[in-house]
Amino acid sequence: MSAATPAGRLAGKVALVTGGGGGIGAATTRLFCEQGAAVMLVDLDPAALERTAQAVRAERPEARIEVLAGDVADPGVATAAVRACEQAFGQLDVLVNNAAMRNYSSFAEATPEEWQAVIGVNMLGNAQFCRAALPLLRRAGRGAIVNVSSCYAVKGRKGMALYDATKSAMLAMTRTLAFEEADHGVRVNVVCPGSTLTDFHVNRTRAAGRSVEDLKTQRQDTSLLGRWAEPMEIAYPILWLASDEGSFITGTTLVVDGGLHVK
């Protein structure tokens, strides 16, 4: 896919990507570096961060990439990440809020502690990174925030009550922030991925003693296209919204789910 991509769509820009240890975050980092951006990666798992960074550097030795391990639910991590980004690269042009926490409790069973944990990452964590990044994004003049939500923010299901509720809240947060930051030159949009073959799903399947091929058969009926997305298929829409190609797009929800939301 990368061979057909015009080079330099993020040339001279600096991005901060949360949840960069694997899956969509890692694919986005790879694509951003390919397109000329320097990237600061944040993830709870330091080993996963290093794997992502090493893989990108092996593919592109010229890549400028830094990592910071930390829990996005901790307000201090957002402040530290933005500060480290400025120290390393001198600026910040793009924030991608991709980190997320899952929970499989129903509404009837979820405890207050479970709610607080998921809200801490999926809502407050994203809000804290936005707040910390806004001074630099405003200074950039053409800053961009891309929040990564879920197609289940716009379509119902059972079994993921806490995750889906917080992902839906991200849509409202995105719209409000787009209103508030328009005068400062900062665009804010949200991508809602569908079923994506990330490391999380692969590792969870293997831990259950099943193969990845078995995993691929599970979502054949959850989209019009009848398959999972590859992480890079989500990274490209994120790139589009983050780049100047999306310069007249703000406050928008882009659903990238193979048609799941219309089934």
Side-chain angles (χ1 to χ4, degrees):
M1 295 176 74
S2 60
T5 307
R9 295 163 72 182
L10 292 179
K13 294 185 182 291
V14 174
L16 193 162
V17 179
T18 70
I24 294 170
T28 299
T29 299
R30 174 187 166 198
L31 186 57
F32 277 21
C33 288
E34 175 188 298
Q35 293 301 315
V39 180
M40 170 65 68
L41 276 181
V42 180
D43 198 282
L44 183 62
D45 186 343
L49 277 176
E50 286 301 326
R51 285 195 297 271
T52 297
Q54 290 174 13
V56 172
R57 290 177 183 135
E59 187 176 281
R60 296 191 169 273
E62 77 281 5
R64 296 179 299 156
I65 183 169
E66 298 288 337
V67 301
L68 176 70
D71 185 351
V72 300
D74 179 353
V77 171
T79 302
V82 171
R83 183 183 301 120
C85 188
E86 184 176 25
Q87 290 174 347
F89 305 121
Q91 66 191 70
L92 178 61
D93 304 275
V94 177
L95 169 64
V96 178
N97 279 313
N98 172 68
M101 179 181 182
R102 288 175 171 267
N103 181 291
Y104 296 91
S105 295
S106 67
F107 270 108
E109 298 171 345
T111 66
E113 292 76 18
E114 287 178 303
W115 273 107
Q116 290 297 333
V118 177
I119 289 170
V121 175
N122 296 0
M123 290 176 59
L124 296 180
N126 290 326
Q128 287 157 179
F129 268 84
C130 288
R131 180 182 181 185
L134 280 173
L136 291 185
L137 294 175
R138 290 172 175 179
R139 193 175 77 188
R142 295 173 70 88
I145 297 174
V146 182
N147 295 317
V148 180
S149 177
S150 167
C151 64
Y152 289 105
V154 298
K155 182 178 178 67
R157 63 174 167 176
K158 62 180 180 180
M160 293 283 286
L162 286 65
Y163 180 86
D164 293 354
T166 53
K167 286 296 188 176
S168 183
M170 289 178 67
L171 308 190
M173 183 182 77
T174 296
R175 291 191 296 268
T176 300
L177 197 55
F179 267 100
E180 294 181 351
E181 292 304 311
D183 288 344
H184 299 286
V186 179
R187 297 182 298 105
V188 190
N189 294 290
V190 59
V191 169
C192 292
S195 300
T196 306
L197 204 60
T198 62
D199 301 331
F200 173 86
H201 291 295
V202 170
N203 293 337
R204 193 162 178 260
T205 296
R206 287 173 173 163
R210 303 197 310 272
S211 71
V212 176
E213 290 306 313
D214 288 339
L215 172 66
K216 290 180 179 180
T217 66
Q218 291 179 6
R219 304 291 180 93
Q220 289 181 347
D221 61 347
T222 61
S223 77
L224 297 182
L225 300 181
R227 63 175 178 82
W228 293 72
E230 293 293 335
M232 194 62 76
E233 292 181 287
I234 312 301
Y236 271 104
I238 294 172
L239 168 66
W240 180 55
L241 291 173
S243 75
D244 288 340
E245 293 173 6
S247 58
F248 201 58
I249 305 172
T250 194
T252 291
T253 298
L254 178 58
V255 183
V256 188
D257 67 349
L260 170 61
H261 68 287
V262 298
K263 287 197 68 168

